[in-house]
Amino acid sequence: MLPNRQPADENISSYRLKLPTPELERALNIKETLEKRSSLKTLLLLLVLTGTSMVIGDGILTPAMSVMSAVSGLQGEVSGFGTSAVVIVSIIILLGLFSIQRFGTGKVGFMFAPVLALWFFSLGAIGIYNLVKYDISVLKALNPAYIYFFFKKNSSAAWSALGGCVLCITGAEAMFADLGHFSVQSVQIAFTCVVFPCLLLAYMGQASYLMKYPDSASRIFYDSVPGSLFWPIFVIATLAATIASQAMISATFSCVKQAMALGCFPRLKIVHTSRKLMGQIYIPVINYFLMIMCIIVVSIFQNTTDIANAYGIAEVGVMIVSTTLVTLVMLLIWRTSLFLALCFPLVFGSIELIYLSAVLSKILEGGWLPLAFASFFLCVMYTWNYGSVLKYQSEVREKISMDFMLELGSTLGTVRVPGIGLLYNELVQGVPSIFGQFLLSLPAIHSTIVFVCIKYVPVPVVPQEERFLFRRVCPKDYHMFRCVARYGYKDVRKEGHQVFEQLLVESLEKFLRREAQDLAIESNLNEYFDNVSERSRDSGAAGDGTDELRIPLMQDQRPEEPGSSISEETSPAFPSSVVSLDEDPSLEYELSALREAMDSGFTYLLAHGDVRAKKNSVFFKKLVINYFYAFLRNNCRAGAANMSVPHMNILQVGMTYMV
């Protein structure tokens, strides 16, 4: 949605297309159709934001549901332990859970593996015990024919029961949060070899127990546990519920962080809790919000039945959105065959729609809660994206023309003093209008100006050597450059401002050397071709016209996009007589001027912008931009805070964007 893409982005090593195939051609046609029609882009954006909002809503419901389910086991075991006691104990556990988030999962994660291993071993062992002791004939339920018999006998009641079955398959959407800590293969092996068989044995054991004690359905888990093992299982269940909640909280942090990177969520403070694993993050504002909402949900509902109804709708909603988006990924990214790409939504989508029809009947019984959470986050995310796109389009319209810059001259109509000014903006090309505000407000401007654009590209990670793109702005004597710093949406910007400055200057020096090399090659080639042409004309009368001009082929030596910085110098494929090995005096002068400016220090030139709707805008647009979007901008984290720049190095000037 943000029109800041560049052709050089497709040259990122993790973003290159494969050789032409029919599947690739189909993918490009679908991509072109989606990009041309704004209605399809908006629909796709809303779909993605809806799924993301539901996952964030799960971050509220999962801790409340898991902790209350574990604590409710005390009701039948401890006399006088009523609903109020369950609520109070659940709130205390939730407060403890959210309080330890700031330490990071790495600090408390040492106990996750042994507790979960013991938990699944206990589930499997108790399931086998109940199967053998009560009724092993429930194994016949593995026969799919019993699905038909069940629906034939119970009709509408069976349909309603599907809503409860959803709770047996929840938690799958939290798996991606673990990908910040483990590989895909390890998650697959753990689920296939441990989680799934142990859960299957546990549910079969509970069914076997219900065959003999059908009245125990309300608290079947704890009733099916042998009496002597109640307290150990209760402790393990409470710890497992806490860990399950931790996974969903981590998933929420990951969702919010990536939404921020892609311009779909207001800027918030992100704390990286691990030096080794980039997936371990902590967002204080989101943590406190989840904690408050969990406590409110537990205090209002006071039982797991209504929370389970809400939980089911959120789960199925996430699954349907995921299925739709994975189908697009299969067509556009994986480029699988059309038959498989259509079979996937037909098989999984049909099952999910059946479950959705069952859980929608629970909307009035608590199912409205995830829809309310999703609607709230959807409004926040879409408003932020909508305002950001309009602001960017306004910057593109109002950028300063090059003719005006050339009229100002190399002094820019003011005094140039030693130093490097880093002017942050969102434009990937052109001179931003905020630069004119600085020229009007400041008595002098720095000798070297770099327009820095921090841009997130739609790939997970951008290699460090491909981070910066440079381009010269105006003639050489202006000493002005455009720098686009590209990050993937999973990249972690942990470097301090000093490290960033050093990397930027090193990349700028490489760019200047590469530019001088290209200019030398070009000028010497022109001279070389002129000499060859003169010799050809001199010998044209005597020759028979069959001689060919033999110049080395330039294929596979195509230079990179003009203005892009590279990490390794490539040797040109031309005769040695063509390339001058003498150092360019202008290059040495420019490098020395850059080092002198660097020694004088860096100053960050930032815009304190206000976004307002135009006077002729419709009322709804004025309401969204002037109030909702303005509220989010005023209360989100400032750009300077995200860059960790000392306040003494910052200069800000006011700017109003009319959108």
Side-chain angles (χ1 to χ4, degrees):
M1 298 291 287
L2 200 63
N4 64 351
R5 286 180 300 174
Q6 298 171 284
D9 293 342
E10 297 187 2
N11 293 328
I12 298 175
S13 56
S14 56
Y15 194 54
R16 288 178 181 166
L17 299 176
K18 296 181 180 179
L19 294 175
T21 59
E23 289 79 11
L24 175 60
E25 184 179 359
R26 183 190 67 216
L28 293 177
N29 290 334
I30 297 174
K31 182 171 179 284
E32 184 179 5
T33 302
L34 287 173
E35 291 177 346
K36 278 185 176 180
R37 302 183 63 177
S38 59
S39 58
L40 290 178
K41 285 197 293 187
T42 304
L43 181 63
L44 185 59
L45 176 67
L46 286 172
L47 184 65
V48 173
L49 296 185
T50 300
T52 307
S53 301
M54 287 187 171
V55 172
I56 297 174
D58 278 353
I60 299 172
L61 295 175
T62 301
M65 177 73 181
S66 302
V67 172
M68 279 199 75
S69 298
V71 175
S72 61
L74 294 175
Q75 281 187 294
E77 190 71 17
V78 179
S79 59
F81 197 87
T83 302
S84 300
V86 171
V87 171
I88 293 173
V89 173
S90 299
I91 290 176
I92 292 174
I93 294 175
L94 288 172
L95 287 173
L97 170 65
F98 285 101
S99 298
I100 64 173
Q101 294 302 313
R102 60 191 180 91
F103 299 110
T105 52
K107 300 288 192 306
V108 296
F110 69 92
M111 58 177 285
F112 285 7
V115 169
L116 286 181
L118 188 59
W119 167 245
F120 285 115
F121 171 76
S122 302
L123 287 179
I126 293 172
I128 294 174
Y129 169 81
N130 288 329
L131 273 173
V132 174
K133 182 176 182 180
Y134 296 109
D135 191 352
I136 201 169
S137 65
V138 298
L139 291 174
K140 292 190 294 184
L142 293 173
N143 184 353
Y146 283 100
I147 299 175
Y148 169 75
F149 298 144
F150 178 71
F151 277 92
K152 182 179 179 182
K153 181 178 180 180
N154 299 284
S155 61
S156 60
W159 199 263
S160 179
L162 282 179
C165 294
V166 172
L167 297 177
C168 298
I169 55 175
T170 56
E173 81 289 347
M175 283 186 182
F176 82 94
D178 295 328
L179 297 182
H181 315 276
F182 305 102
S183 65
V184 174
Q185 189 176 20
S186 62
V187 174
Q188 291 173 335
I189 292 173
F191 183 81
T192 306
C193 300
V194 180
V195 177
F196 180 71
C198 290
L199 288 177
L200 198 60
L201 288 172
Y203 290 135
M204 285 182 173
Q206 292 174 19
S208 179
Y209 184 88
L210 286 173
M211 295 291 287
K212 188 170 184 180
Y213 304 103
D215 296 334
S216 297
S218 58
R219 58 188 312 273
I220 175 60
F221 174 72
Y222 284 110
D223 282 353
S224 63
V225 174
S228 58
L229 296 177
F230 172 82
W231 286 107
I233 293 299
F234 171 77
V235 173
I236 297 173
T238 304
L239 292 174
T242 305
I243 294 171
S245 304
Q246 172 68 53
M248 205 59 238
I249 294 169
S250 299
T252 304
F253 291 160
S254 300
C255 271
V256 171
K257 188 259 181 186
Q258 294 179 26
M260 287 167 55
L262 297 174
C264 294
F265 206 93
R267 295 184 298 269
L268 300 173
K269 179 182 180 181
I270 297 178
V271 179
H272 301 280
T273 58
S274 173
R275 295 182 179 272
K276 298 179 181 179
L277 300 173
M278 67 178 183
Q280 295 188 8
I281 59 175
Y282 165 65
I283 305 178
V285 173
I286 298 298
N287 184 64
Y288 292 132
F289 177 81
L290 295 180
M291 179 181 70
I292 293 171
M293 296 310 298
C294 278
I295 293 174
I296 291 175
V297 168
V298 170
S299 302
I300 292 177
F301 285 91
Q302 298 189 357
N303 65 80
T304 58
T305 303
D306 288 343
I307 300 179
N309 293 333
Y311 198 40
I313 290 181
E315 293 290 336
V316 179
V318 171
M319 291 176 184
I320 291 177
V321 173
S322 299
T323 300
T324 306
L325 296 178
V326 169
T327 304
L328 270 179
V329 170
M330 293 174 72
L331 292 171
L332 292 174
I333 311 300
W334 299 342
R335 292 186 280 277
T336 55
S337 66
L338 189 62
F339 175 75
L340 290 177
L342 292 178
C343 283
F344 178 77
L346 284 177
V347 174
F348 289 95
S350 302
I351 297 173
E352 289 158 1
L353 287 174
I354 291 173
Y355 277 108
L356 180 65
S357 65
V359 298
L360 284 179
S361 61
K362 309 288 186 180
I363 285 184
L364 298 179
E365 302 171 16
W368 55 269
L369 189 63
L371 300 180
F373 286 142
S375 300
F376 171 74
F377 283 107
L378 178 62
C379 290
V380 171
M381 297 170 76
Y382 188 77
T383 299
W384 183 261
N385 178 267
Y386 176 68
S388 300
V389 171
L390 290 182
K391 177 178 176 290
Y392 184 85
Q393 292 172 346
S394 173
E395 288 187 344
V396 172
R397 287 194 308 268
E398 297 172 4
K399 62 184 179 182
I400 300 174
S401 68
M402 294 305 298
D403 293 338
F404 178 73
M405 294 296 298
L406 295 176
E407 288 178 8
L408 289 177
S410 60
T411 62
L412 300 175
T414 182
V415 179
R416 304 294 293 270
V417 295
I420 297 179
L422 302 180
L423 194 151
Y424 277 75
N425 65 102
E426 297 180 7
L427 290 182
V428 293
Q429 58 185 0
V431 180
S433 57
I434 189 63
F435 185 59
Q437 293 291 105
F438 276 106
L439 292 178
L440 292 174
S441 305
L442 299 179
I445 201 71
H446 302 81
S447 58
T448 300
I449 298 293
V450 182
F451 300 115
V452 182
C453 172
I454 303 293
K455 185 175 78 166
Y456 287 88
V457 291
V459 295
V461 178
V462 176
Q464 185 67 49
E465 61 272 11
E466 302 175 29
R467 177 83 67 217
F468 295 103
L469 287 179
F470 275 92
R471 180 175 296 145
R472 189 182 292 278
V473 180
C474 299
K476 274 190 175 184
D477 55 347
Y478 279 67
H479 301 292
M480 295 170 60
F481 305 92
R482 158 72 59 196
C483 171
V484 179
R486 302 176 298 181
Y487 291 85
Y489 56 85
K490 281 190 176 181
D491 268 327
V492 178
R493 290 184 57 200
K494 295 177 67 174
E495 70 266 10
H497 69 98
Q498 294 176 338
V499 177
F500 181 83
E501 293 164 2
Q502 182 180 356
L503 291 173
L504 186 143
V505 171
E506 290 175 357
S507 300
L508 180 54
E509 288 183 351
K510 289 181 181 179
F511 163 73
L512 292 175
R513 295 183 186 279
R514 176 58 186 261
E515 181 190 49
Q517 183 188 32
D518 290 344
L519 289 175
I521 292 174
E522 184 179 356
S523 61
N524 288 326
L525 268 180
N526 291 335
E527 182 180 350
Y528 180 79
F529 284 131
D530 290 342
N531 293 335
V532 171
S533 299
E534 289 177 5
R535 289 199 300 270
S536 299
R537 285 196 298 270
D538 293 342
S539 60
D544 57 2
T546 59
D547 292 340
E548 293 183 359
L549 181 64
R550 291 181 173 85
I551 299 295
L553 293 178
M554 295 175 63
Q555 61 186 6
D556 297 330
Q557 295 293 335
R558 183 181 61 186
E560 303 215 357
E561 186 196 24
S564 61
S565 63
I566 59 172
S567 57
E568 297 180 0
E569 299 294 336
T570 55
S571 57
F574 304 112
S576 59
S577 60
V578 174
V579 183
S580 173
L581 299 179
D582 296 331
E583 285 290 342
D584 185 359
S586 63
L587 171 63
E588 288 302 314
Y589 168 75
E590 196 159 19
L591 289 177
S592 63
L594 177 61
R595 295 187 188 105
E596 181 184 354
M598 185 177 64
D599 293 338
S600 299
F602 291 81
T603 302
Y604 289 76
L605 309 176
L606 308 177
H608 185 70
D610 185 23
V611 182
R612 308 289 295 177
K614 294 180 179 178
K615 291 184 178 180
N616 58 351
S617 302
V618 297
F619 171 76
F620 184 72
K621 181 179 179 181
K622 289 182 179 179
L623 180 67
V624 171
I625 297 297
N626 295 349
Y627 296 97
F628 297 154
Y629 181 68
F631 175 81
L632 294 176
R633 277 183 63 86
N634 293 333
N635 290 277
C636 74
R637 190 169 173 83
N642 281 340
M643 293 182 291
S644 301
V645 181
H647 289 291
M648 291 190 301
N649 294 22
I650 295 176
L651 280 177
Q652 283 187 315
V653 66
M655 183 77 180
T656 300
Y657 300 95
M658 302 303 296
V659 299

